Amino acid sequence: MSQDSTTVPEAARKLSGRRRREIVAVLLFSGGPIFESSIPLSVFGIDRQDAGVPRYRLLVCAGEDVPLRTTGGLELTAPYGLEALSRAGTVVVPAWRSITQPPPAAALDALRRAHEEGARIVGLCTGAFVLAAAGLLDGRPATTHWMYAPTLAKRYPSVHVDPRELFVDDGDVLTSAGTAAGIDLCLHIVRTDHGADAAGALARRLVVPPRRTGGQERYLDRSLPEEIGADPLAEVVAWALEHLHEQFDVETLAARAYMSRRTFDRRFRSLTGSAPLQWLITQRVLQAQRLLETSDYSVDEVAGRCGFRSPVALRGHFRRQLGSSPAAYRAAYRARRPQSGPVDRPERGERAERAERSERFDRPEPVEPRSGETLMSMRRTAMAPAHAVTGAPLGAPSPHSGHSGHIAHVPGHGGGPGINAPDPGKPDSDLYAPRLPGQRERPVG
C-alpha cells in the first residue's frame, strides 16, 4: 500500500538549489524503446496552452556517453547530459534497455542526488529497474510491466512489487506498468500538478481516456518468470499450470514443494511477484477464457475443466477479473470473430446467462442456479464420464481439503478452499484500481 503524501515531512519534499517544479527532465539510454521514450516527450514537451494545458519546460538528457540508438536502429542526440538533472523538479526514466544489465553508475548517482534535493522521480515500465538499482524503491510500493514484475521482485526483495497496478504514486517516487500505463501516469502527474481540467484537456488532445479503471490483472498470462528455471519452485509452478483442470489449492502446492504454507507463500511471492492464491485464481480464469474462445463447452463444463468447484465460483472470479460474465464474454468474442464452421446450439442455462449482459457490473452473483440449470447440470453430469466433468484423469483420487490453514469458504461464491476466496490483501471493490496518493499506506514488514 502507498503512504499518504501528506505524512511526508515538508522539508523532504522541498526543492533545493536551481531546481524548478515546472522543469521536467527525461533521462534516455541507448537501446531504449522509442515508443516508451516518446511518451513523456509528448506529454511534457509540447506547448498546448491554447487547449488549457499549463506548459512544462522539457530537458532531454543522455544517461550515458554513447550513441543513443533506439527501436529500428534510429540514433538520437540528446541536447543535455546528466548535469541538466540538477535543474529539474521532475525526472522521468521512460525505459531501460535490459532488465538483466545494471544501469550506468553515473546515472544512478544523478538520480539519487535529484531525489535527495526534493525532485520527483518517475519510472515508466522498465524504468522501474533503474529506480530500484539506485535504491529509490527500497521499502516502497512499485509496479512495472507484468511480464517483468517477478524479476523486479526477486532481484530487489526490499521493493514491494504489485504487478496488478497500472501505476503507483508514492509521493516523490512514482512507477507505472507497460506502454499505455505510462500515458496514464503522465496524465496523473498533470492532474496532480494542475487539476482535472488540465489533465482532461490533455487527454482529449492525445485521444485517450483521462483516467482508466482496472489494472494489469486482465493481461496476465501463463508466462513464467525468466529466472524460474533455476528455482526449486519451478517444478511446482509447471505442475500447477498442467493440472489446472483438477481441483487443488495452495496447500496442495505447498505440500508438493515440501514447505509449510507460510514458507511457500513467501517463496512464491518472491518468485512471481504475487500471492499464490491470486496467481492460481488468475490462471484458472485465463484457462476458462481460452475454453470459452475455442470450444463449445457449456459454462458449467468450462468451470469443471478449469478446476472451479461450481459455475458460480467461475462467474464471480471471471466477472471480477474481466468485467463480464463467461457467456457474455463468449458472445462478444464470437461476434468479433465469426466461427468458420457450425457452432452447437447453446445450452438453456447458457442462453439464460446471456441476459446478464444488460445487468450492472456490480450486481451480486446468484448463490444458487435456477432449477432448470440445476436439472440440466445433473443430466450432463450423469451422461458425461467423470473426467469430462471434473477435469481429472480417470481413477485419479479426489483432492483432500481437511488440512488446517486452508483458505476458508466464502459464502455466496460457490467453490471450495483455495479457489474462490478473494485476495485478502485488498477489498474486491478496489482490487484493480490505480493507486492514488490519497490511498497510500506504507506496508508493514
Side-chain angles (χ1 to χ4, degrees):
M1 291 271 186
S2 299
Q3 180 185 6
D4 194 336
S5 60
T6 58
T7 63
V8 180
E10 182 66 26
R13 293 186 284 115
K14 184 178 180 180
L15 289 176
S16 61
R18 297 181 298 166
R19 296 187 183 275
R20 297 293 180 267
R21 295 194 181 278
E22 69 277 8
I23 297 180
V24 176
V26 177
L27 191 58
L28 299 181
F29 298 96
S30 182
I34 193 169
F35 191 11
E36 285 81 351
S37 300
S38 68
I39 290 172
L41 303 183
S42 178
V43 171
F44 303 111
I46 299 177
D47 186 356
R48 298 186 177 92
Q49 294 182 87
D50 61 326
V53 182
R55 184 177 182 178
Y56 290 89
R57 183 179 177 189
L58 181 70
L59 304 179
V60 182
C61 307
E64 52 192 340
D65 295 329
V66 296
L68 302 181
R69 293 188 175 88
T70 184
T71 309
L74 298 177
E75 187 168 313
L76 306 178
T77 300
Y80 301 96
L82 289 173
E83 69 283 351
L85 266 61
S86 63
R87 301 157 55 189
T90 298
V91 179
V92 182
V93 183
W96 173 237
R97 60 174 166 262
S98 173
I99 62 174
T100 62
Q101 295 183 19
L108 299 181
D109 289 340
L111 286 172
R112 296 188 194 101
R113 190 178 311 111
H115 182 255
E116 291 171 358
E117 295 177 356
R120 177 172 53 189
I121 311 297
V122 181
L124 307 182
C125 194
T126 53
F129 282 81
V130 180
L131 273 59
L136 301 182
L137 297 181
D138 290 349
R140 290 178 177 266
T143 192
T144 187
H145 193 291
W146 60 263
M147 188 167 59
Y148 306 125
T151 304
L152 181 65
K154 186 172 183 178
R155 186 168 300 159
Y156 302 99
S158 61
V159 181
H160 305 295
V161 181
D162 191 341
R164 297 171 297 186
E165 302 292 350
L166 289 176
F167 62 82
V168 173
D169 181 343
D170 198 44
D172 53 352
V173 177
L174 302 87
T175 51
S176 81
T179 303
I183 302 176
D184 295 323
L185 180 51
C186 288
L187 284 173
H188 171 69
I189 292 173
V190 174
R191 186 181 301 110
T192 301
D193 290 348
H194 302 291
D197 289 344
L202 177 57
R204 287 191 294 273
R205 277 294 186 92
L206 298 177
V207 198
V208 296
R211 188 195 296 266
R212 283 197 300 164
T213 59
Q216 294 192 84
E217 197 80 12
R218 70 190 71 180
Y219 305 111
L220 299 176
D221 67 6
R222 293 173 63 122
S223 300
L224 299 179
E226 293 182 357
E227 302 173 4
I228 195 173
D231 194 280
L233 290 186
E235 182 180 350
V236 175
V237 172
W239 180 89
L241 291 174
E242 293 298 323
H243 293 79
L244 290 174
H245 57 280
E246 300 179 14
Q247 293 180 4
F248 61 87
D249 55 16
V250 179
E251 289 284 354
T252 303
L253 298 180
R256 291 189 67 88
Y258 302 100
M259 297 179 184
S260 68
R261 172 63 187 272
R262 184 175 181 179
T263 301
F264 180 79
D265 283 359
R266 184 176 64 252
R267 290 285 305 279
F268 191 94
R269 186 182 290 273
S270 69
L271 178 67
T272 67
S274 65
L277 175 59
Q278 187 60 46
W279 179 86
L280 180 59
I281 291 173
T282 298
Q283 300 308 317
R284 294 195 189 283
V285 169
L286 288 169
Q287 180 66 4
Q289 194 177 358
R290 296 184 187 97
L291 290 179
L292 291 168
E293 294 173 355
T294 61
S295 76
D296 292 317
Y297 294 130
S298 70
V299 173
D300 289 20
E301 290 169 328
V302 169
R305 290 174 178 270
C306 296
F308 290 103
R309 293 187 184 273
S310 75
V312 177
L314 167 61
R315 291 187 183 104
H317 291 301
F318 199 95
R319 187 181 288 278
R320 273 190 291 274
Q321 292 197 22
L322 297 176
S324 171
S325 70
Y329 177 86
R330 169 179 275 171
Y333 179 84
R334 289 181 174 175
R336 294 193 304 269
R337 301 187 181 187
Q339 301 292 318
S340 57
V343 179
D344 292 343
R345 187 175 181 180
E347 299 282 353
R348 177 186 173 189
E350 186 174 350
R351 292 201 313 269
E353 189 184 2
R354 289 186 179 179
E356 295 179 7
R357 281 179 287 175
S358 61
E359 297 178 351
R360 293 181 56 186
F361 171 81
D362 57 352
R363 183 166 181 175
E365 294 289 334
V367 176
E368 295 292 341
R370 289 179 290 184
S371 58
E373 292 178 317
T374 303
L375 179 59
M376 297 194 71
S377 298
M378 293 173 63
R379 288 176 179 170
R380 283 196 296 271
T381 303
M383 296 174 62
H387 70 281
V389 177
T390 63
L394 287 172
S398 60
H400 58 278
S401 58
H403 293 294
S404 60
H406 274 213
I407 300 297
H409 172 72
V410 179
H413 287 278
I419 297 177
N420 58 346
D423 186 353
K426 277 191 170 184
D428 285 347
S429 61
D430 190 41
L431 192 58
Y432 308 117
R435 187 166 294 138
L436 304 179
Q439 300 171 300
R440 300 167 63 236
E441 179 180 304
R442 183 75 63 185
V444 179

